[in-house]
Amino acid sequence: MSWLSSSSIGRKVVMSVTGTCLVLFLLFHASMNVVAILDAINGTAGYEAICEFLGANWYALIGTVGLAFLVCVHIVYAFVLNALNYRARGHERYAIPGRQKEVEWASLNMLVLGIIVVLGICLHLFNFWAKMQLQEIRGFMPDSGTELIEFTFSKWYFAALYIVWLAALWFHLTHGIWSAMHTLGWNNNIWMKRWKCIANIIATIIILMFVAVVVFFYILGNCPCCSNLCAM
């Protein structure tokens, strides 16, 4: 199994597998957050039930550790691949000014997009994980999930930072999903066109769900009329 770390193909396979797992998690996480919108509109407590289920329970902690491992491996391998690619190009990287038309913008800027995504993850951990699951691990009563979302996104600067983060994540996903499928074997002309389309659809659905949460709770936190309407 040493080829997974010693060969270029092996590293790309690790990136593809970890990336695919993270995309599945994003689908779950985005769907979970949309429940908070439904709760605010209907006066239910589904999101709080989800937060309680995913608190400091043993299975949730195992999942959190596993997720952190996947993120760390994905980030480390991304930097390694970029460094090796940069070194391999040598003087050739200066030979052609500008970018080639057939190369996607996201493909050329995956490292920069990845750095923005990592910074967004750090912000998200600070705003939510540290105030919820970490608090419960430490033996304190965590904040209300729905109230924490509303409080966070009622601040214009947090809402703006999340929108920038999600925009970078969209570009990262649209390229990363079809690139992963290419690495894992779906790399003929027919399937590449299909996977690029599928990647755009999946990335757009994920990001729209996250953006909906940010925008909804920003409006809810800053518009008294909306707050009164949801409270009815």
Side-chain angles (χ1 to χ4, degrees):
M1 298 295 287
S2 61
W3 67 276
L4 291 175
S5 59
S6 60
S7 70
S8 177
I9 296 297
R11 297 186 193 100
K12 289 180 180 180
V13 168
V14 172
M15 283 285 292
S16 300
V17 173
T18 55
T20 300
C21 293
L22 294 174
V23 169
L24 294 175
F25 168 75
L26 286 173
L27 276 169
F28 163 75
H29 193 35
S31 302
M32 180 184 79
N33 284 1
V34 170
V35 176
I37 296 178
L38 301 177
D39 285 348
I41 295 173
N42 300 319
T44 52
Y47 186 74
E48 298 300 331
I50 294 173
C51 291
E52 183 178 353
F53 178 74
L54 296 177
N57 302 303
W58 66 269
Y59 47 83
L61 294 177
I62 292 175
T64 300
V65 172
L67 180 63
F69 174 77
L70 290 174
V71 171
C72 290
V73 170
H74 195 76
I75 292 172
V76 169
Y77 271 69
F79 276 101
V80 170
L81 280 171
N82 274 275
L84 292 175
N85 290 339
Y86 187 81
R87 183 186 303 172
R89 287 197 300 269
H91 295 293
E92 292 182 3
R93 58 179 176 269
Y94 304 109
I96 303 175
R99 69 182 183 92
Q100 298 175 340
K101 291 183 179 180
E102 67 272 13
V103 181
E104 294 182 351
W105 179 86
S107 177
L108 293 174
N109 295 277
M110 283 297 278
L111 181 60
V112 175
L113 292 170
I115 291 173
I116 296 175
V117 170
V118 170
L119 292 175
I121 291 173
C122 294
L123 176 65
H124 194 61
L125 291 174
F126 170 77
N127 278 333
F128 292 99
W129 180 78
K131 298 175 182 178
M132 297 181 72
Q133 190 180 61
L134 181 59
Q135 288 291 90
E136 192 171 345
I137 293 173
R138 296 174 59 197
F140 299 105
M141 181 66 66
D143 295 332
S144 165
T146 306
E147 291 179 2
L148 184 58
I149 291 177
E150 182 176 351
F151 172 79
T152 301
F153 294 137
S154 65
K155 311 297 183 183
W156 70 267
Y157 44 88
F158 279 138
L161 287 172
Y162 269 80
I163 294 298
V164 172
W165 174 35
L166 292 170
L169 183 58
W170 184 85
F171 281 108
H172 194 77
L173 291 176
T174 54
H175 174 76
I177 292 173
W178 73 258
S179 180
M181 296 304 106
H182 179 276
T183 298
L184 295 176
W186 284 286
N187 51 12
N188 58 64
N189 291 332
I190 295 177
W191 269 103
M192 272 298 92
K193 292 179 180 178
R194 292 175 180 175
W195 274 116
K196 287 185 178 182
C197 179
I198 293 171
N200 288 336
I201 293 172
I202 293 175
T204 301
I205 290 174
I206 290 173
I207 299 307
L208 284 179
M209 285 195 288
F210 280 125
V211 169
V213 174
V214 175
V215 173
F216 178 87
F217 282 100
Y218 174 78
I219 295 173
L220 186 64
N222 291 278
C223 177
C225 295
C226 296
S227 299
N228 294 333
L229 182 63
C230 288
M232 293 176 62

